[in-house]
Amino acid sequence: DTAVSQTPKYLVTQMGNDKSIKCEQNLGHDTMYWYKQDSKKFLKIMFSYNNKELIINETVPNRFSPKSPDKAHLNLHINSLELGDSAVYFCASSHRDRGRETQYFGPGTRLLVL
Amino acid sequence: RKEVEQDPGPFNVPEGATVAFNCTYSNSASQSFFWYRQDCRKEPKLLMSVYSSGNEDGRFTAQLNRASQYISLLIRDSKLSDSATYLCVVNWNTGNQFYFGTGTSLTVIP
C-alpha cells in the first residue's frame, strides 16, 4: 500500500472555481512533487519541493500555487479553474537509495472541470 | 526532441510469450534509470531500477546501453497480470528532475 496519500481522490467542479488538493507522505522523504497526467497519459512534472523549498517550477500557469507547510506535506491550490485543467494530478515523494533518487507516487486526484 | 522516447505500442502478446520494450533518452548526462508500471486508473509503481551492468528480477530483465542511450525491459513467460503500461523514467540527478516516457501499453492475451 502506498504511503503517499492524496485527497480528494475525485474532484468535479465548475470553471472559474478555486480548489485545493492535499498530499502527505509518511516515508520521511525530503523531496515531494506534483505531476499532471493528461488524457494522452503523458506524465509531466509541475513542481518539486525539497525540505519545503521550491526546487523545480516548470512552465505552469501561475493559477497553480504549491504550498509545503512541512516536508511531509505538499498541497496544490488552483485558482480560476479552466476546462484544460481536467487531468489526473499525482503527488510523489523521493529519497536517495543506494546512490539514486527513487520516486513513489500517491494514488492520484482525478480532476474534472465542467 | 523529447527527453525520453518510447514506442507507445500497443503490444498484444499471448500468455507465455517473451516481450521486450526499448526506450531512448536524449541527455547523455542522465544518471539513473527506472521502469515503472502503471495499471489503468492507478498510479505509477516502481517496477525496477536499471543498473549499468543490467539486472534481473524474476521474469523481468533490464538493460542499459549508455553509448547508445537506451534502456530495455524484457519480460519472459508473460502473465495476464503483466498487462499494464510500462513507463521508462530517467533522472538527471540535478534538482531531482525526473523525465517520463509516454509509456508502452502491453496486453497479455489468454
Side-chain angles (χ1 to χ4, degrees), chain A residues 2 10 31 33 35 37 42-43 45 50 55-56 58 90 96 98 100-103 105-107 110, chain B residues 31-34 36 38 41-44 46 49-51 87 89 91 93 95-98 100-102:
Chain A
T2 184
Y10 299 96
T31 309
Y33 310 77
Y35 286 86
Q37 188 170 44
F42 182 59
L43 258 171
I45 183 76
N50 182 271
I55 55 172
I56 295 173
E58 290 294 307
F90 286 104
R96 189 156 289 271
R98 282 172 283 186
R100 55 180 56 200
E101 198 75 22
T102 307
Q103 276 191 325
F105 283 82
R110 282 150 187 82
Chain B
Q31 296 288 322
S32 305
F33 309 89
F34 308 87
Y36 277 72
Q38 187 173 23
R41 301 182 68 77
K42 297 285 189 181
E43 73 273 23
L46 179 65
S49 299
V50 186
Y51 297 100
L87 299 164
V89 183
N91 175 245
N93 241 26
N96 297 330
Q97 181 73 293
F98 288 83
F100 284 74
T102 51

Side-chain angles (χ1 to χ4, degrees), chain A residues 8-66:
Chain A
K9 194 170 181 180
Y10 299 96
L11 185 53
V12 181
T13 188
Q14 299 283 338
M15 240 180 6
N17 284 349
D18 303 338
K19 291 292 178 186
S20 292
I21 309 172
K22 295 186 176 182
C23 177
E24 176 181 1
Q25 55 95 5
N26 61 6
L27 297 165
H29 293 172
D30 288 334
T31 309
M32 296 185 72
Y33 310 77
W34 277 110
Y35 286 86
K36 179 181 180 180
Q37 188 170 44
D38 57 27
S39 57
K40 294 182 180 177
K41 307 298 183 188
F42 182 59
L43 258 171
K44 186 170 169 55
I45 183 76
M46 299 174 69
F47 302 102
S48 173
Y49 272 71
N50 182 271
N51 267 321
K52 304 193 298 176
E53 183 182 334
L54 180 66
I55 55 172
I56 295 173
N57 183 355
E58 290 294 307
T59 307
V60 175
N62 58 15
R63 298 181 294 105
F64 290 79
S65 52

Side-chain angles (χ1 to χ4, degrees), chain B residues 7-28:
Chain B
D7 178 352
F11 285 68
N12 299 315
V13 302
E15 262 187 297
T18 295
V19 62
F21 308 135
N22 286 332
C23 162
T24 58
Y25 59 94
S26 61
N27 187 348
S28 59

